[in-house]
Amino acid sequence: MVSERGLQVLRAIVQDYVDTREPVGSKAIVERHAFGVSAATIRNDMALLEDEELIVAPHTSSGRVPTDKGYRVFVDHLAELRPLSPGQRAAIASFLDGSGDLDDVLVRTVRALTQLTGQVAIVQYPSFARANVTHVELVQLGGGRMLVIVVTDTGRVSQRLTFVGEDFDDADLARIRAGLGTLLVGRPVREGLQRIAERLEGPDAQAPAHERATDEIVRAVAEELEEFRQDKLVMAGSANLARRESDFRGSIYPLLEAIEEQVTLLRLMGEMVADEHGLSASIGRENDAFGLGEASVVASDYDATGSLARVGVLGPTRMDYPTNLATVRAVARYLTRMLEQDDSSR
Amino acid sequence: MVSERGLQVLRAIVQDYVDTREPVGSKAIVERHAFGVSAATIRNDMALLEDEELIVAPHTSSGRVPTDKGYRVFVDHLAELRPLSPGQRAAIASFLDGSGDLDDVLVRTVRALTQLTGQVAIVQYPSFARANVTHVELVQLGGGRMLVIVVTDTGRVSQRLTFVGEDFDDADLARIRAGLGTLLVGRPVREGLQRIAERLEGPDAQAPAHERATDEIVRAVAEELEEFRQDKLVMAGSANLARRESDFRGSIYPLLEAIEEQVTLLRLMGEMVADEHGLSASIGRENDAFGLGEASVVASDYDATGSLARVGVLGPTRMDYPTNLATVRAVARYLTRMLEQDDSSR
DNA sequence: AATTGGCACTCCAGTCATGCGAGTGCCAGC
DNA sequence: GCTGGCACTCGCATGACTGGAGTGCCAATT
């Protein structure tokens, strides 16, 4: 239906519209792009593109604006990701380099990304469901309070304070600790949760004297594992939404809400389908189900020592997809490499 | 200068303006409030109020709007805090009741507050500078990695993963742990930091064999203490800013930025001066230095087992001060009580 | 068959004039 | 010190008009 040149016209419209924020007309296209044909010809192509619902005219006689479908075609078939400039690569490196635990690295990642793109940046924590428990530690604080610590091989540490109602002597504590160790250490989080559930149903005869207290400890461990299983996000740059306010027809309220909720964004990020390079985009009304019909998300998978997660940006539908895709990809790669290094140094 | 009735007129103007978002004229005042005098009389009073810069007319002939100075006089002399309704009290209770560690309680507090006021809610962590260290725990994870945990008597737990480069045998580890214990346990965070600084200058002869590794551990502890010393915030409800967008003349960008930065808000909250009831307000241009000239903060002190901190809301200058003050105070009181209870149960 | 120049047409955005209404300031009188 | 009255000032909405940008279509050209 749409000719090859027609697609080039679509590309030109998307590029110019993202550039200027103004509907783009046939004359503007022949001026800014060397098509070698006249404005009337472009007009004919534009009529076809409009038939295909790739572009629309806001008013009877004004330039054209890409539809969500138009952006989709652009992203899938027309966008060429320019590699980042050396300066941008240096910026990523200077942001991300330096040691620190997982939390630290992800916070720095998200800052780098919001800085580079001027959008809201989002980083998913690596999915911990597959992570393995490496340590369970119990620290008595006196007065019946117990600090319960769980560590996984993905480098995440979780601690929880719980009131168990009594203090144990060292031997009992060591026994409980050992029991939890054999129950959990070396096993994936998901499996650990199952084993704990079983244990809570058929009470163990191991420490009947302190049964209630140990149950309390086990419950605390279970809560921590459960927290690992839920995915988590780090975000930055929400203020950018206000800066590009004009890009959102309606209010930015739903966006800020989604950012605060996190759950919505987690679902959205989770449901996106990546291409063969690990890149994915969800455009405009495709996000209607999440109340984000005026926004787009562009993301790239990254590899946190075996478990996959995503890093992406959230912005107006009218965003610079090629640049954002390229940036997100570069950051994801750098992040993957950093986590590998970190792992090998251990 | 301004008569008693003049102040009542100011109160009426503030109330009506907050209600209607429209400049309020003399006629509207005599209609809505039973002053028992005519509109012309009110007009004379309004002229005086305008001389005092407590109100202004946006245009030559439109109703009046309170100035920041007007709001200040209103808050200081005219506002009567209505006690909350039983329903609202119940809402606070249902939000806050239930156990959990400090993080948990503060998150629930901030949610309750944003829910009740429809503003951005902010809760300061109790200042940890005066808190005492109760435990220092070291957990070896193998491969030269060490988990360093510090606990204070205010219930806060901090953990940090650090790479020390070697594994200790149990005896050495116990010795280091004991050393840190005598150095820090039972002492305030601030003092602990000093002692560590001294120790790092004049190296201890205690464990020369592992000097570098122990230094690394000590450094990690110092970082954690430093983190305690910095105050911290929990916030919720930033999406509310977008809902009342119309209340902000300019963009909400600086507000969102301050929320993301936290540092700005920490300084602002810290510098506010409370009255004898622990209530404080910072209005409009008084916040210019923080880039928040169109916003107000209303806060109440609360008592976290001895160390004072604040809970407040951030919103447009044109906010309902009496209601927000009353809500903030009620939440602060409830929070104080909860933390006391929690403490006594330990 | 594709491209082009030309032309009539549509609609937006800005400008100006007009009228209305709300609200003020001031003054003379009570 | 309060009040009613009155002239005055603006803001705002309305409507008419214009210029300009951009389209759609058609007949002519390659």
Side-chain angles (χ1 to χ4, degrees):
Chain A
M1 253 346 179
V2 177
S3 65
E4 175 55 28
R5 193 187 54 218
L7 289 176
Q8 298 309 319
V9 171
L10 174 59
R11 161 190 276 153
I13 290 173
V14 172
Q15 286 174 352
D16 287 10
Y17 181 60
V18 168
D19 244 39
T20 64
R21 310 191 170 198
E22 304 275 309
V24 6
S26 53
K27 203 172 144 199
I29 290 183
V30 296
E31 276 169 10
R32 295 190 42 151
H33 304 261
F35 273 100
V37 296
S38 80
T41 308
I42 300 293
R43 280 206 287 282
N44 292 330
D45 291 338
M46 285 164 80
L48 286 184
L49 289 172
E50 189 154 21
D51 288 345
E52 297 291 326
E53 297 185 328
L54 297 172
I55 57 178
V56 281
H59 327 291
T60 309
S61 83
S62 190
R64 304 313 215 295
V65 163
T67 62
D68 290 358
K69 198 173 158 194
Y71 283 119
R72 168 55 66 195
V73 171
F74 174 77
V75 168
D76 286 350
H77 303 303
L78 302 170
E80 292 163 3
L81 317 200
R82 267 191 313 282
L84 299 207
S85 74
Q88 289 171 311
R89 299 200 165 276
I92 295 177
S94 81
F95 256 103
L96 289 197
D97 274 342
S99 62
D101 57 13
L102 184 64
D103 289 334
D104 246 30
V105 172
L106 295 190
V107 165
R108 290 208 305 269
T109 301
V110 86
R111 292 222 181 107
L113 197 50
T114 195
Q115 189 77 9
L116 285 166
T117 61
Q119 312 281 356
V120 179
I122 310 174
V123 177
Q124 243 181 350
Y125 267 75
S127 165
F128 288 100
R130 265 174 291 162
N132 298 310
V133 177
T134 55
H135 283 82
V136 181
E137 192 64 34
L138 304 176
V139 179
Q140 284 197 96
L141 300 183
R145 288 177 306 158
M146 177 82 73
L147 189 62
V148 183
I149 298 151
V150 179
V151 187
T152 72
D153 60 358
T154 45
R156 185 136 166 240
V157 180
S158 159
Q159 112 254 316
R160 186 163 300 238
L161 192 61
T162 185
F163 184 69
V164 295
E166 63 181 303
D167 293 336
F168 299 89
D169 62 38
D170 286 353
D172 283 342
L173 192 64
R175 208 177 313 133
I176 297 173
R177 188 185 289 131
L180 282 171
T182 54
L183 202 63
L184 301 174
V185 169
R187 307 187 191 280
V189 168
R190 191 189 304 272
E191 195 184 322
L193 269 170
Q194 283 172 357
R195 288 172 147 252
I196 284 182
E198 286 162 16
R199 201 214 107 113
L200 282 179
E201 276 171 17
D204 197 334
Q206 201 172 10
H210 309 288
E211 201 173 306
R212 256 156 96 194
T214 49
D215 273 7
E216 189 55 49
I217 293 172
V218 170
R219 209 165 290 128
V221 173
E223 276 174 30
E224 292 186 67
L225 293 182
E226 191 56 49
E227 199 173 88
F228 280 161
R229 219 178 51 162
Q230 286 164 12
D231 288 349
K232 216 178 122 182
L233 293 179
V234 210
M235 280 178 297
S238 57
N240 288 322
L241 292 178
R243 225 184 28 182
R244 35 193 95 252
E245 217 162 357
S246 51
D247 286 344
F248 298 98
R249 224 160 299 214
S251 154
I252 58 174
Y253 181 74
L255 288 163
L256 285 174
E257 229 186 5
I259 287 173
E260 200 158 349
E261 283 299 322
Q262 299 222 346
V263 181
T264 311
L265 286 177
L266 265 171
R267 288 231 320 274
L268 174 51
M269 292 270 282
E271 289 182 12
M272 288 167 64
V273 181
D275 69 3
E276 67 272 25
H277 303 106
L279 292 175
S280 46
S282 188
I283 298 172
R285 296 252 295 279
E286 295 170 13
N287 301 320
D288 253 353
F290 303 95
L292 301 176
E294 284 188 34
S296 287
V297 177
V298 156
S300 171
D301 295 348
Y302 74 93
D303 184 348
T305 59
S307 85
L308 232 52
R310 286 197 166 128
V311 38
V313 298
L314 165 72
T317 306
R318 191 199 70 71
M319 65 160 61
D320 182 344
Y321 292 94
T323 300
N324 286 338
L325 280 165
T327 309
V328 152
R329 183 177 61 179
V331 169
R333 283 183 183 164
Y334 206 95
L335 182 55
T336 299
R337 220 175 313 147
M338 277 221 45
L339 294 176
E340 265 168 21
Q341 255 177 35
D342 193 35
D343 203 53
S344 69
S345 83
R346 278 178 195 163
Chain B
M1 258 335 186
V2 177
S3 66
E4 175 55 28
R5 193 188 53 219
L7 289 176
Q8 297 309 318
V9 171
L10 174 58
R11 162 191 275 153
I13 290 173
V14 172
Q15 285 173 352
D16 286 10
Y17 181 60
V18 168
D19 244 38
T20 63
R21 310 191 171 198
E22 302 278 308
V24 4
S26 53
K27 204 173 144 199
I29 289 183
V30 297
E31 275 168 11
R32 295 189 44 150
H33 303 262
F35 273 99
V37 296
S38 79
T41 308
I42 301 292
R43 278 207 286 283
N44 291 330
D45 291 338
M46 284 164 80
L48 285 184
L49 289 172
E50 189 153 21
D51 288 345
E52 298 290 327
E53 296 185 329
L54 297 172
I55 57 177
V56 280
H59 328 291
T60 308
S61 85
S62 191
R64 304 311 217 296
V65 163
T67 61
D68 291 357
K69 198 173 159 194
Y71 283 119
R72 167 56 65 195
V73 170
F74 175 77
V75 167
D76 286 349
H77 304 303
L78 302 170
E80 291 164 3
L81 316 201
R82 268 190 312 283
L84 299 207
S85 74
Q88 288 170 313
R89 297 199 168 278
I92 296 177
S94 81
F95 255 104
L96 288 197
D97 274 343
S99 63
D101 58 12
L102 184 65
D103 289 334
D104 246 29
V105 172
L106 294 190
V107 166
R108 290 209 305 269
T109 301
V110 86
R111 291 223 181 106
L113 197 51
T114 195
Q115 189 78 10
L116 285 166
T117 61
Q119 312 280 356
V120 180
I122 310 173
V123 176
Q124 242 182 351
Y125 267 75
S127 165
F128 288 99
R130 265 174 292 162
N132 297 310
V133 177
T134 56
H135 283 81
V136 181
E137 192 64 35
L138 304 176
V139 179
Q140 283 198 96
L141 299 182
R145 288 177 306 157
M146 177 82 73
L147 189 62
V148 184
I149 298 151
V150 180
V151 187
T152 71
D153 60 359
T154 45
R156 185 134 166 241
V157 181
S158 159
Q159 111 255 314
R160 186 163 300 239
L161 192 61
T162 185
F163 184 69
V164 296
E166 63 181 303
D167 293 336
F168 299 89
D169 62 37
D170 286 353
D172 283 342
L173 192 64
R175 208 176 313 133
I176 298 173
R177 188 185 288 130
L180 283 171
T182 54
L183 203 62
L184 301 175
V185 169
R187 307 189 190 279
V189 168
R190 189 190 305 272
E191 194 183 322
L193 269 170
Q194 282 173 358
R195 286 172 147 251
I196 284 183
E198 287 162 16
R199 201 213 108 114
L200 282 179
E201 277 172 17
D204 197 334
Q206 201 172 11
H210 308 290
E211 200 173 307
R212 257 156 97 193
T214 49
D215 274 7
E216 190 54 50
I217 294 172
V218 169
R219 208 164 290 128
V221 173
E223 276 174 32
E224 293 186 66
L225 293 181
E226 191 56 50
E227 201 173 87
F228 279 161
R229 218 177 53 161
Q230 286 164 13
D231 288 348
K232 215 178 122 183
L233 294 179
V234 211
M235 279 178 298
S238 58
N240 287 321
L241 292 177
R243 226 183 28 183
R244 35 192 95 252
E245 216 161 358
S246 51
D247 285 345
F248 298 98
R249 224 160 298 216
S251 154
I252 58 173
Y253 181 74
L255 287 163
L256 285 175
E257 227 185 8
I259 287 173
E260 199 158 349
E261 283 299 322
Q262 299 223 347
V263 181
T264 311
L265 286 177
L266 265 171
R267 287 231 320 274
L268 174 50
M269 291 270 280
E271 289 183 11
M272 288 166 63
V273 181
D275 68 4
E276 66 270 27
H277 303 107
L279 291 175
S280 46
S282 187
I283 298 173
R285 296 255 294 280
E286 295 170 13
N287 302 319
D288 253 354
F290 303 95
L292 301 176
E294 284 188 36
S296 288
V297 177
V298 155
S300 171
D301 295 348
Y302 73 93
D303 184 349
T305 59
S307 86
L308 231 53
R310 285 196 166 128
V311 38
V313 298
L314 165 72
T317 306
R318 191 198 70 72
M319 65 159 63
D320 183 344
Y321 292 95
T323 300
N324 286 338
L325 280 165
T327 309
V328 153
R329 183 177 62 179
V331 168
R333 283 182 182 164
Y334 205 95
L335 182 55
T336 299
R337 222 175 312 145
M338 278 221 45
L339 294 175
E340 264 169 20
Q341 258 178 32
D342 193 35
D343 203 53
S344 68
S345 82
R346 278 180 197 160

